PDB file of all heavy atoms in Angstrom:
ATOM      1  N   GLY A 898     -32.020-157.128 -74.408  1.00  0.00           N
ATOM      2  CA  GLY A 898     -32.460-158.288 -73.635  1.00  0.00           C
ATOM      3  C   GLY A 898     -33.929-158.579 -73.847  1.00  0.00           C
ATOM      4  O   GLY A 898     -34.544-159.306 -73.056  1.00  0.00           O
ATOM      5  N   ASN A 899     -34.508-158.013 -74.920  1.00  0.00           N
ATOM      6  CA  ASN A 899     -35.939-158.172 -75.151  1.00  0.00           C
ATOM      7  C   ASN A 899     -36.187-158.542 -76.604  1.00  0.00           C
ATOM      8  O   ASN A 899     -35.958-157.743 -77.514  1.00  0.00           O
ATOM      9  CB  ASN A 899     -36.680-156.879 -74.804  1.00  0.00           C
ATOM     10  CG  ASN A 899     -38.178-157.091 -74.727  1.00  0.00           C
ATOM     11  OD1 ASN A 899     -38.842-157.290 -75.731  1.00  0.00           O
ATOM     12  ND2 ASN A 899     -38.718-157.061 -73.509  1.00  0.00           N
ATOM     13  N   VAL A 900     -36.666-159.767 -76.832  1.00  0.00           N
ATOM     14  CA  VAL A 900     -36.838-160.257 -78.189  1.00  0.00           C
ATOM     15  C   VAL A 900     -37.999-159.571 -78.907  1.00  0.00           C
ATOM     16  O   VAL A 900     -37.978-159.401 -80.127  1.00  0.00           O
ATOM     17  CB  VAL A 900     -37.040-161.792 -78.157  1.00  0.00           C
ATOM     18  CG1 VAL A 900     -38.384-162.157 -77.539  1.00  0.00           C
ATOM     19  CG2 VAL A 900     -36.922-162.377 -79.554  1.00  0.00           C
ATOM     20  N   VAL A 901     -39.016-159.142 -78.155  1.00  0.00           N
ATOM     21  CA  VAL A 901     -40.161-158.457 -78.766  1.00  0.00           C
ATOM     22  C   VAL A 901     -39.719-157.113 -79.331  1.00  0.00           C
ATOM     23  O   VAL A 901     -40.044-156.752 -80.469  1.00  0.00           O
ATOM     24  CB  VAL A 901     -41.300-158.264 -77.745  1.00  0.00           C
ATOM     25  CG1 VAL A 901     -42.415-157.393 -78.331  1.00  0.00           C
ATOM     26  CG2 VAL A 901     -41.847-159.605 -77.304  1.00  0.00           C
ATOM     27  N   LEU A 902     -38.955-156.361 -78.536  1.00  0.00           N
ATOM     28  CA  LEU A 902     -38.488-155.055 -78.983  1.00  0.00           C
ATOM     29  C   LEU A 902     -37.527-155.200 -80.173  1.00  0.00           C
ATOM     30  O   LEU A 902     -37.544-154.396 -81.089  1.00  0.00           O
ATOM     31  CB  LEU A 902     -37.799-154.330 -77.834  1.00  0.00           C
ATOM     32  CG  LEU A 902     -37.723-152.799 -77.967  1.00  0.00           C
ATOM     33  CD1 LEU A 902     -39.120-152.211 -77.972  1.00  0.00           C
ATOM     34  CD2 LEU A 902     -36.893-152.208 -76.846  1.00  0.00           C
ATOM     35  N   ALA A 903     -36.714-156.239 -80.137  1.00  0.00           N
ATOM     36  CA  ALA A 903     -35.810-156.495 -81.250  1.00  0.00           C
ATOM     37  C   ALA A 903     -36.598-156.789 -82.529  1.00  0.00           C
ATOM     38  O   ALA A 903     -36.242-156.336 -83.617  1.00  0.00           O
ATOM     39  CB  ALA A 903     -34.881-157.651 -80.924  1.00  0.00           C
ATOM     40  N   PHE A 904     -37.679-157.532 -82.399  1.00  0.00           N
ATOM     41  CA  PHE A 904     -38.523-157.845 -83.547  1.00  0.00           C
ATOM     42  C   PHE A 904     -39.197-156.585 -84.082  1.00  0.00           C
ATOM     43  O   PHE A 904     -39.225-156.350 -85.298  1.00  0.00           O
ATOM     44  CB  PHE A 904     -39.582-158.874 -83.158  1.00  0.00           C
ATOM     45  CG  PHE A 904     -40.583-159.150 -84.246  1.00  0.00           C
ATOM     46  CD1 PHE A 904     -40.232-159.890 -85.366  1.00  0.00           C
ATOM     47  CD2 PHE A 904     -41.880-158.652 -84.161  1.00  0.00           C
ATOM     48  CE1 PHE A 904     -41.152-160.130 -86.377  1.00  0.00           C
ATOM     49  CE2 PHE A 904     -42.808-158.894 -85.153  1.00  0.00           C
ATOM     50  CZ  PHE A 904     -42.441-159.637 -86.267  1.00  0.00           C
ATOM     51  N   TYR A 905     -39.720-155.749 -83.182  1.00  0.00           N
ATOM     52  CA  TYR A 905     -40.341-154.494 -83.613  1.00  0.00           C
ATOM     53  C   TYR A 905     -39.336-153.631 -84.377  1.00  0.00           C
ATOM     54  O   TYR A 905     -39.668-153.007 -85.393  1.00  0.00           O
ATOM     55  CB  TYR A 905     -40.856-153.712 -82.404  1.00  0.00           C
ATOM     56  CG  TYR A 905     -42.077-154.298 -81.739  1.00  0.00           C
ATOM     57  CD1 TYR A 905     -42.565-153.758 -80.546  1.00  0.00           C
ATOM     58  CD2 TYR A 905     -42.756-155.386 -82.292  1.00  0.00           C
ATOM     59  CE1 TYR A 905     -43.688-154.287 -79.916  1.00  0.00           C
ATOM     60  CE2 TYR A 905     -43.876-155.916 -81.668  1.00  0.00           C
ATOM     61  CZ  TYR A 905     -44.338-155.369 -80.477  1.00  0.00           C
ATOM     62  OH  TYR A 905     -45.444-155.895 -79.858  1.00  0.00           O
ATOM     63  N   SER A 906     -38.112-153.575 -83.873  1.00  0.00           N
ATOM     64  CA  SER A 906     -37.076-152.758 -84.510  1.00  0.00           C
ATOM     65  C   SER A 906     -36.761-153.286 -85.900  1.00  0.00           C
ATOM     66  O   SER A 906     -36.582-152.510 -86.852  1.00  0.00           O
ATOM     67  CB  SER A 906     -35.813-152.750 -83.658  1.00  0.00           C
ATOM     68  OG  SER A 906     -36.073-152.238 -82.367  1.00  0.00           O
ATOM     69  N   THR A 907     -36.683-154.600 -86.030  1.00  0.00           N
ATOM     70  CA  THR A 907     -36.374-155.196 -87.330  1.00  0.00           C
ATOM     71  C   THR A 907     -37.494-154.917 -88.332  1.00  0.00           C
ATOM     72  O   THR A 907     -37.228-154.621 -89.494  1.00  0.00           O
ATOM     73  CB  THR A 907     -36.163-156.711 -87.182  1.00  0.00           C
ATOM     74  OG1 THR A 907     -35.155-156.957 -86.192  1.00  0.00           O
ATOM     75  CG2 THR A 907     -35.716-157.330 -88.498  1.00  0.00           C
ATOM     76  N   VAL A 908     -38.726-154.986 -87.880  1.00  0.00           N
ATOM     77  CA  VAL A 908     -39.869-154.662 -88.749  1.00  0.00           C
ATOM     78  C   VAL A 908     -39.795-153.202 -89.180  1.00  0.00           C
ATOM     79  O   VAL A 908     -40.048-152.862 -90.347  1.00  0.00           O
ATOM     80  CB  VAL A 908     -41.187-154.944 -88.024  1.00  0.00           C
ATOM     81  CG1 VAL A 908     -42.371-154.395 -88.818  1.00  0.00           C
ATOM     82  CG2 VAL A 908     -41.367-156.441 -87.795  1.00  0.00           C
ATOM     83  N   THR A 909     -39.431-152.338 -88.246  1.00  0.00           N
ATOM     84  CA  THR A 909     -39.315-150.913 -88.556  1.00  0.00           C
ATOM     85  C   THR A 909     -38.257-150.669 -89.617  1.00  0.00           C
ATOM     86  O   THR A 909     -38.464-149.904 -90.571  1.00  0.00           O
ATOM     87  CB  THR A 909     -38.967-150.114 -87.286  1.00  0.00           C
ATOM     88  OG1 THR A 909     -39.974-150.340 -86.298  1.00  0.00           O
ATOM     89  CG2 THR A 909     -38.867-148.630 -87.591  1.00  0.00           C
ATOM     90  N   ILE A 910     -37.106-151.321 -89.464  1.00  0.00           N
ATOM     91  CA  ILE A 910     -36.016-151.150 -90.426  1.00  0.00           C
ATOM     92  C   ILE A 910     -36.421-151.704 -91.794  1.00  0.00           C
ATOM     93  O   ILE A 910     -36.079-151.140 -92.832  1.00  0.00           O
ATOM     94  CB  ILE A 910     -34.730-151.812 -89.893  1.00  0.00           C
ATOM     95  CG1 ILE A 910     -34.259-151.070 -88.645  1.00  0.00           C
ATOM     96  CG2 ILE A 910     -33.639-151.823 -90.963  1.00  0.00           C
ATOM     97  CD1 ILE A 910     -33.168-151.767 -87.882  1.00  0.00           C
ATOM     98  N   ALA A 911     -37.173-152.799 -91.798  1.00  0.00           N
ATOM     99  CA  ALA A 911     -37.683-153.330 -93.068  1.00  0.00           C
ATOM    100  C   ALA A 911     -38.588-152.301 -93.735  1.00  0.00           C
ATOM    101  O   ALA A 911     -38.549-152.112 -94.961  1.00  0.00           O
ATOM    102  CB  ALA A 911     -38.438-154.627 -92.824  1.00  0.00           C
ATOM    103  N   GLY A 912     -39.392-151.626 -92.932  1.00  0.00           N
ATOM    104  CA  GLY A 912     -40.248-150.571 -93.471  1.00  0.00           C
ATOM    105  C   GLY A 912     -39.449-149.421 -94.043  1.00  0.00           C
ATOM    106  O   GLY A 912     -39.799-148.862 -95.086  1.00  0.00           O
ATOM    107  N   ILE A 913     -38.368-149.078 -93.380  1.00  0.00           N
ATOM    108  CA  ILE A 913     -37.505-147.988 -93.853  1.00  0.00           C
ATOM    109  C   ILE A 913     -36.931-148.338 -95.227  1.00  0.00           C
ATOM    110  O   ILE A 913     -36.974-147.534 -96.161  1.00  0.00           O
ATOM    111  CB  ILE A 913     -36.365-147.720 -92.847  1.00  0.00           C
ATOM    112  CG1 ILE A 913     -36.922-147.199 -91.523  1.00  0.00           C
ATOM    113  CG2 ILE A 913     -35.354-146.728 -93.429  1.00  0.00           C
ATOM    114  CD1 ILE A 913     -35.906-147.151 -90.392  1.00  0.00           C
ATOM    115  N   VAL A 914     -36.397-149.546 -95.339  1.00  0.00           N
ATOM    116  CA  VAL A 914     -35.741-149.953 -96.578  1.00  0.00           C
ATOM    117  C   VAL A 914     -36.744-150.016 -97.738  1.00  0.00           C
ATOM    118  O   VAL A 914     -36.466-149.562 -98.847  1.00  0.00           O
ATOM    119  CB  VAL A 914     -35.021-151.304 -96.399  1.00  0.00           C
ATOM    120  CG1 VAL A 914     -34.468-151.798 -97.733  1.00  0.00           C
ATOM    121  CG2 VAL A 914     -33.899-151.174 -95.385  1.00  0.00           C
TER     122      VAL A 914
END
Side-chain angles (χ1 to χ4, degrees):
N899 193 289
V900 69
V901 173
L902 202 63
F904 174 73
Y905 288 173
S906 301
T907 305
V908 170
T909 302
I910 294 169
I913 295 169
V914 174

